[in-house]
Amino acid sequence: MTRALRQATENMDRRDPDLATGECGFYLQFDLASSQTEALDALENKRNAIELVAVQLPAEGEATVSATVFVPERSADFYTRKIEQYRDEDTPKGNPKNERLIARVDTVRLGLVKALFTDPVETFPSQTASVGGLAPRGPPKLIPADRH
């Protein structure tokens, strides 16, 4: 998770402020065992404007659910604090604080466009597919979209 957060911060620092519109932030993609789906709601935090934006259910034969959250720049340290609390603090019952969230997450990575795609994965456009009659010209250059 620390690596994904570091990548997100580095990406935000490289953004052209003249291109950014809407609320600046980044997407994180969390992978959880499909038996841990009750933890999905713990990824979201309305007070910090962290929003669960996509959930990809496991494909046949797979056992992992992927969930993508939008994290506004002002809340960039939210998950870092959760990890530190899990590591350093216990609840009154003696369990690690934030265990419900942290212990259930298998992996975390910086979210890409594909992480927001909730249709069947085989319908995701390939890099060589034309869109709207236009031929592709190499890897796309992504510009943060207005979120509102």
Side-chain angles (χ1 to χ4, degrees), residues 83-90:
I83 292 169
E84 290 169 353
Q85 290 169 340
Y86 176 78
R87 183 190 62 211
D88 300 333
E89 299 177 31
D90 288 333

Side-chain angles (χ1 to χ4, degrees), residues 21-85:
T21 62
E23 184 163 22
C24 291
F26 55 91
Y27 292 90
L28 290 177
Q29 184 175 358
F30 293 83
D31 291 335
L32 300 91
S34 58
S35 62
Q36 301 296 323
T37 56
E38 68 274 3
L40 290 173
D41 63 332
L43 296 173
E44 192 168 56
N45 187 280
K46 297 210 184 289
R47 188 178 67 188
N48 288 288
I50 295 172
E51 180 182 358
L52 180 62
V53 295
V55 175
Q56 296 174 339
L57 299 176
E60 192 172 324
E62 293 183 11
T64 302
V65 173
S66 291
T68 305
V69 298
F70 174 74
V71 181
E73 188 173 8
R74 62 185 160 88
S75 299
D77 65 343
F78 176 80
Y79 291 107
T80 302
R81 287 192 322 267
K82 293 288 184 188
I83 292 169
E84 290 169 353
Q85 290 169 340

Side-chain angles (χ1 to χ4, degrees), residues 66-125:
S66 291
T68 305
V69 298
F70 174 74
V71 181
E73 188 173 8
R74 62 185 160 88
S75 299
D77 65 343
F78 176 80
Y79 291 107
T80 302
R81 287 192 322 267
K82 293 288 184 188
I83 292 169
E84 290 169 353
Q85 290 169 340
Y86 176 78
R87 183 190 62 211
D88 300 333
E89 299 177 31
D90 288 333
T91 66
K93 292 185 178 183
N95 297 320
K97 194 169 185 179
N98 303 313
E99 182 177 32
R100 180 173 171 252
L101 170 64
I102 304 300
R104 293 181 171 158
V105 173
D106 289 339
T107 58
V108 180
R109 61 189 165 278
L110 194 58
L112 303 175
V113 171
K114 196 170 188 177
L116 300 172
F117 194 75
T118 57
D119 288 339
V121 69
E122 61 273 4
T123 63
F124 189 78

